[in-house]
Amino acid sequence: MYRLHVLLCAGTGCTSSKSPLVKEALIEELEKQNLQEEVCIVDTGCHGLCALGPIMIVYPEGIFYAQVKPEDISEIVSEHFLKGRPVTRLVYDETIQGDNITPLADTTFYGRQTRIALRNCGVINPESIDEYIGTGGYEALGQVLTKMTPESVIKEILDSGLRGRGGAGFPTGRKWSLAAANKSDQKYVCCNADEGDPGAFMDRSVLEGDPHVVLEAMAIAGYAIGANQGYIYVRAEYPIAVQRLNIAINQAREYGLLGKNIFNTKFDFDIELRLGAGAFVCGEETALMTSIEGKRGEPHPRPPFPALKGLFDKPTILNNVETFANIPRIIVKGAKWFQSMGTEKSKGTKVFALGGKVKNTGLVEIPMGTTLREIVEDIGGGIPNGKKFKAAQTGGPSGGCISIENYDVPIDYDNLIAIGSMMGSGGLIVMDEDNCMVDIAKFFLEFTVEESCGKCTPCRIGTKRMHEILTKITEGKATMEDLDKLEELCYYIRDNSLCGLGQTSPNPVLSTLRYFKDEYIEHVRDHKCRAGVCKALLNFKIDEEKCKGCTLCAKNCPVNCIEGSLKMPHKIDQSKCIKCGTCFDNCKFNAISRG
């Protein structure tokens, strides 16, 4: 019997912050202190607070250590493990209340969340099927195969109100019922783990922290629609997720939970992985299936929809990782339980990858209907450095910006669409007053241009023309007529592109034009970027009355364009200035202005 359990995050974020070295140091120190029989080390998935990695939680006390380094381990072992005195300098500050350390569930980050898809992430060893089973894993599959008909499974999912978490929010039960109704000698279940949005890592974290939940859900889906084969399409850039999926599939086969005659019910179902090369367009369902077939990942016109003619021209359902992660809990706890969370038309919870200008960057799961203000200020801990909230981008390149005027709008599928954004897969990037909204639109459109498969002209050519206009605007070369042309292009591309990539590509532009048109006009008419981001519109000047002649600006200028003697006012040679802003950042007397 172990005296202590140490949960060490082994997700991608903490791994990149050298958590494997922390583990090596911990093993070495435990052996040195002869504690290896008393302390159990458990590698887990993401705990959520990615900005604080490497993360280590020690039970039974539940002490949360943040940003642990290998050199901290000897102190933690000697003080905490041997003497029972937590090393407070490394403890997550929100858990410290005076002389007491409070439970994680009482912090604003964790206390405001409801974890369903993420319930096992950071809790169990993702490479142990026994730990998954110990938390109720595969109970739903057993219940489905021994006590339910395919029709009753689909009804339960329909009644729950679960909508697809991968983008458009199509009702999951309806998709399954359409595939079940189509007769065929072969059907397929596909999982979209090709998460391509900039700043999004929700699906990756589920696969790294709880891979068996996806396997179990896919088997349930296979039973519901009459399929015996599943495919998980996961990007090759997720090596940890791929490794753990392979381990989980082999374990499930060994336990008889995948393969032939599962639970002795004559139901057969198996799963294979297919690795994607990172093409964003392969997140679109028809392009994804084409890629699984070994062909170039290009979208196809719909109808026919995949439920009728999908993978290998057979009836197919495709759901993303987060959607599948909800299925087992719905089966075990019932549709009414799931319906009790969320809004009228958007039930349950949603996982967001919270990033950008916010204190607590990481992974969060909140009930549908939570406001953006609650996510940013309460769960996210607010915006650092006293800056003001300006906007948040949801849905990645396919989504749009939420402005301050919609800060208190409950977030669900329909409300986001109404204000010009969309849920997407769940990326949520927070921006403050130092962000230029024209530059943001340009950034996302540049990504779309690069990722367009080129099959249809509106997307292939139209997005390039949009990007060219945005570049003109940020360089101060555009006219007011260019703004009109830009908006006209947006609507044409949206209405005429073949697939969702092209149809949604104008969203970042349309939403920023809707809420921040004054910034566009300033760029065009006044040749000014209020955020100081667009370099072509910047002009750095030194106020001679404020300048103390400290020489810091001159010493740090990379092109030596600042002249002046010690304790005398300095000047910038505008012909040499590359507008990098180094002088502005280094001036301690606010003597340098940009505009």
Side-chain angles (χ1 to χ4, degrees):
M1 180 69 68
Y2 292 107
R3 179 168 59 86
L4 298 173
H5 282 75
V6 178
L7 273 57
L8 183 62
C9 177
T12 292
C14 286
T15 298
S16 66
S17 299
K18 302 182 180 179
S19 66
L21 296 181
V22 173
K23 182 180 179 180
E24 287 179 16
L26 181 57
I27 292 172
E28 183 178 330
E29 190 65 24
L30 291 177
E31 291 176 351
K32 182 178 178 182
Q33 301 292 345
N34 200 29
L35 292 174
Q36 60 268 37
E37 301 298 324
E38 297 182 42
V39 180
C40 176
I41 303 172
V42 181
D43 288 329
T44 72
C46 179
H47 291 259
L49 272 168
C50 302
L52 299 183
I55 288 169
M56 192 170 83
I57 305 179
V58 182
Y59 287 98
E61 303 100 322
I63 305 298
F64 186 113
Y65 288 117
Q67 295 179 323
V68 181
K69 300 180 178 63
E71 52 265 34
D72 298 322
I73 292 300
S74 61
E75 183 180 1
I76 292 174
V77 172
S78 62
E79 289 296 310
H80 184 172
F81 294 6
L82 288 174
K83 301 175 185 177
R85 300 188 298 218
V87 182
T88 53
R89 69 178 181 84
L90 296 171
V91 175
Y92 174 37
D93 55 9
E94 275 205 39
T95 64
I96 299 177
Q97 302 293 332
D99 294 331
N100 299 317
I101 296 178
T102 62
L104 283 174
D106 293 341
T107 63
T108 54
F109 182 82
Y110 288 104
R112 299 295 183 92
Q113 296 187 51
T114 302
R115 293 194 155 206
I116 300 174
L118 299 179
R119 75 182 188 94
N120 283 331
C121 292
V123 177
I124 67 171
N125 179 353
E127 296 185 10
S128 170
I129 190 172
D130 292 328
E131 290 201 20
Y132 179 68
I133 292 172
T135 63
Y138 290 106
E139 179 183 346
L141 179 59
Q143 181 177 322
V144 161
L145 295 185
T146 60
K147 298 179 180 179
M148 301 176 73
T149 64
E151 294 77 16
S152 63
V153 173
I154 292 174
K155 185 178 186 302
E156 196 72 19
I157 303 303
L158 276 169
D159 291 346
S160 73
L162 175 65
R163 296 172 67 171
R165 299 309 197 233
F170 190 81
T172 304
R174 279 186 59 196
K175 181 180 287 189
W176 290 18
S177 64
L178 290 171
N182 292 316
K183 305 301 180 183
S184 176
D185 60 336
Q186 180 68 57
K187 296 181 182 181
Y188 296 102
V189 174
C190 290
C191 175
N192 182 355
D194 190 60
E195 190 173 45
D197 292 5
F201 51 92
M202 302 76 58
D203 291 350
R204 186 197 74 203
S205 296
V206 173
L207 295 176
E208 291 178 352
D210 195 14
H212 281 283
V213 74
V214 177
L215 308 187
E216 181 179 15
M218 291 179 69
I220 291 170
Y223 175 74
I225 72 165
N228 62 15
Q229 181 63 50
Y231 291 95
I232 300 176
Y233 188 83
V234 57
R235 54 182 43 225
E237 292 98 326
Y238 286 178
I240 297 176
V242 171
Q243 176 189 358
R244 291 181 182 162
L245 278 171
N246 276 317
I247 291 171
I249 289 171
N250 289 332
Q251 288 176 340
R253 286 172 180 162
E254 183 181 346
Y255 275 52
L257 298 168
L258 284 179
K260 300 289 186 180
N261 194 28
I262 300 173
F263 284 110
N264 294 316
T265 59
K266 298 182 180 179
F267 171 64
D268 303 337
F269 190 81
D270 208 348
I271 294 173
E272 294 180 21
L273 298 187
R274 289 292 184 270
L275 302 187
F280 182 60
V281 73
C282 286
E284 194 276 339
E285 60 181 5
T286 61
L288 183 152
M289 293 177 196
T290 303
S291 182
I292 289 177
E293 293 171 355
K295 305 170 188 174
R296 178 184 173 90
E298 291 181 334
H300 299 291
R302 297 173 301 175
F305 292 94
L308 175 63
K309 190 177 180 181
L311 185 63
F312 301 115
D313 292 333
K314 301 294 184 180
T316 306
I317 61 166
L318 173 72
N319 293 113
N320 84 322
V321 170
E322 186 186 344
T323 309
F324 279 125
N326 282 278
I327 298 298
R329 300 307 289 168
I330 292 174
I331 296 298
V332 171
K333 304 196 78 168
K336 289 184 179 180
W337 164 79
F338 194 78
Q339 282 182 342
S340 68
M341 295 170 282
T343 62
E344 182 182 355
K345 294 183 179 179
S346 299
K347 303 298 183 183
T349 61
K350 182 72 190 76
V351 179
F352 287 100
L354 184 61
K357 307 291 185 66
V358 66
K359 180 183 176 183
N360 297 329
T361 58
L363 204 65
V364 303
E365 183 172 3
I366 49 95
M368 292 280 194
T370 303
T371 66
L372 183 60
R373 184 188 299 274
E374 291 176 86
I375 297 173
V376 174
E377 297 186 2
D378 295 337
I379 299 174
I383 297 173
N385 305 317
K387 298 290 184 177
K388 295 179 181 179
F389 171 86
K390 187 173 188 177
Q393 176 85 6
T394 63
S398 302
C401 286
I402 305 174
S403 67
I404 187 69
E405 65 188 83
N406 294 310
Y407 209 21
D408 293 305
V409 171
I411 290 180
D412 65 15
Y413 289 99
D414 303 300
N415 284 342
L416 286 182
I417 290 173
I419 62 177
S421 187
M422 66 182 295
M423 188 77 71
S425 57
L428 200 164
I429 300 174
V430 180
M431 292 164 271
D432 67 11
E433 55 201 280
D434 291 337
N435 287 106
C436 169
M437 302 314 294
V438 183
D439 183 68
I440 289 294
K442 178 185 169 188
F443 166 78
F444 282 112
L445 198 64
E446 183 175 8
F447 178 85
T448 306
V449 169
E450 289 292 325
E451 294 295 336
S452 173
C453 74
K455 187 172 184 178
C456 72
T457 303
C459 180
R460 182 181 72 250
I461 304 298
T463 54
K464 287 184 179 179
R465 297 292 87 84
M466 288 171 62
H467 186 261
E468 288 169 0
I469 294 174
L470 287 169
T471 300
K472 285 177 65 179
I473 294 172
T474 57
E475 291 178 350
K477 300 176 182 178
T479 64
M480 294 302 291
E481 288 75 17
D482 285 319
L483 282 184
D484 296 332
K485 188 184 296 182
L486 178 65
E487 192 165 4
E488 182 183 348
L489 266 172
C490 285
Y491 290 115
Y492 180 83
I493 294 167
R494 186 189 69 179
D495 296 338
N496 293 281
S497 292
L498 175 62
C499 80
L501 185 147
Q503 293 161 9
T504 59
S505 63
N507 284 350
V509 180
L510 287 171
S511 63
T512 50
L513 279 171
R514 179 177 177 180
Y515 296 111
F516 302 97
K517 194 163 187 177
D518 54 338
E519 288 195 32
Y520 281 86
I521 293 173
E522 281 182 0
H523 280 67
V524 174
R525 186 184 61 199
D526 305 328
H527 302 288
K528 178 182 177 182
C529 174
R530 67 175 69 172
V533 171
C534 300
K535 288 186 178 181
L537 305 182
L538 292 182
N539 189 26
F540 291 93
K541 295 181 180 179
I542 297 177
D543 187 326
E544 294 186 8
E545 293 184 4
K546 292 182 179 179
C547 180
K548 306 299 182 182
C550 71
T551 72
L552 270 178
C553 57
K555 288 178 179 178
N556 286 281
C557 178
V559 292
N560 299 315
C561 72
I562 301 177
E563 300 174 348
S565 303
L566 183 65
K567 296 185 180 180
M568 297 294 291
H570 284 47
K571 291 185 179 180
I572 299 175
D573 185 343
Q574 298 294 339
S575 65
K576 297 180 181 179
C577 180
I578 60 172
K579 303 176 182 181
C580 65
T582 302
C583 58
F584 181 86
D585 295 334
N586 280 277
C587 182
K588 296 181 179 180
F589 303 101
N590 296 319
I592 301 178
S593 62
R594 63 182 183 187

